Amino acid sequence: MGEGDEAIEELVVAVKFRQWCPGNSDSDRHIECRKSAMLSKELAEKALELRQMKGQDLQGLDIKGLDKLEAMLDSGLVEVVKTKGERMLKEISTLKKKEAQLLEENAHLKQQLAMMDTSIGQMGIHDQCCAHHSLELTISSLSSRDPPQNYHISSSDTCLKLG
């Protein structure tokens, strides 16, 4: 931007400012216009810099400008890669802790299952012992019509399992 362009831009900003704040004195308007013009210029420069960082509007840059942009992008990329690496290591550490916790929980559950299997195995031995004894079933009444009787059923292969 040349000096003439800056003067025109400052004049445009001053006119707009007077429209927005008509009660201000001329000196206040002048100060505010200069601030506004500086901010507008800075905004335009930053917008151009951002476009150039995205690979746009590069035709206005010479070799020196392109080198400066490349160095800026390189240093930014180094920081991005470094931050990404740190976050990945942190996530790996978190996942390893979770893995250890799950392995511990799995071992605990296996231990509980083994204890249950042992209990069931002991009940199975009891069932086998029961199968060798006779079962006597006494029924006091089959129906209201029949007189009360005792039925004795004996079997060496029968076992009653409850539960």
Side-chain angles (χ1 to χ4, degrees):
M1 226 184 244
E3 286 182 30
D5 292 336
E6 288 177 17
I8 293 172
E9 185 176 324
E10 189 174 320
L11 188 58
V12 168
V13 171
V15 170
K16 286 182 180 179
F17 184 77
R18 284 187 185 139
Q19 291 171 350
W20 294 328
C21 308
N24 289 345
S25 69
D26 282 341
S27 65
D28 288 343
R29 283 187 207 146
H30 183 70
I31 292 170
E32 291 301 319
C33 287
R34 289 185 92 44
K35 286 180 186 178
S36 179
M38 283 183 1
L39 290 174
S40 292
K41 183 179 177 183
E42 186 178 342
L43 178 63
E45 289 171 357
K46 294 297 179 184
L48 176 62
E49 186 178 320
L50 180 61
R51 285 192 308 274
Q52 288 174 340
M53 290 179 85
K54 291 180 178 181
Q56 303 167 351
D57 294 337
L58 300 177
Q59 66 276 4
L61 295 175
D62 58 3
I63 298 293
K64 188 176 181 180
L66 289 169
D67 283 341
K68 181 180 175 185
L69 179 61
E70 182 181 19
M72 204 167 54
L73 290 172
D74 282 343
S75 68
L77 184 58
V78 166
E79 287 301 313
V80 168
V81 170
K82 177 183 170 190
T83 302
K84 181 181 174 185
E86 289 171 354
R87 290 193 183 159
M88 288 176 78
L89 289 174
K90 186 177 179 181
E91 189 171 335
I92 288 169
S93 175
T94 301
L95 290 172
K96 283 185 177 183
K97 287 177 185 176
K98 189 172 183 176
E99 176 190 27
Q101 180 185 7
L102 289 172
L103 287 172
E104 184 179 322
E105 185 178 341
N106 191 23
H108 181 71
L109 290 173
K110 283 182 179 180
Q111 185 180 20
Q112 285 182 339
L113 183 60
M115 289 171 50
M116 289 175 62
D117 284 346
T118 303
S119 297
I120 290 171
Q122 288 174 351
M123 289 176 62
I125 292 170
H126 177 70
D127 290 345
Q128 290 173 3
C129 291
C130 182
H132 295 299
H133 292 42
S134 65
L135 172 67
E136 190 173 289
L137 176 60
T138 305
I139 303 174
S140 61
S141 172
L142 290 175
S143 69
S144 59
R145 288 183 271 149
D146 295 334
Q149 302 176 23
N150 283 339
Y151 292 89
H152 298 285
I153 302 172
S154 181
S155 171
S156 63
D157 295 325
T158 308
C159 184
L160 177 62
K161 185 175 180 181
L162 299 176

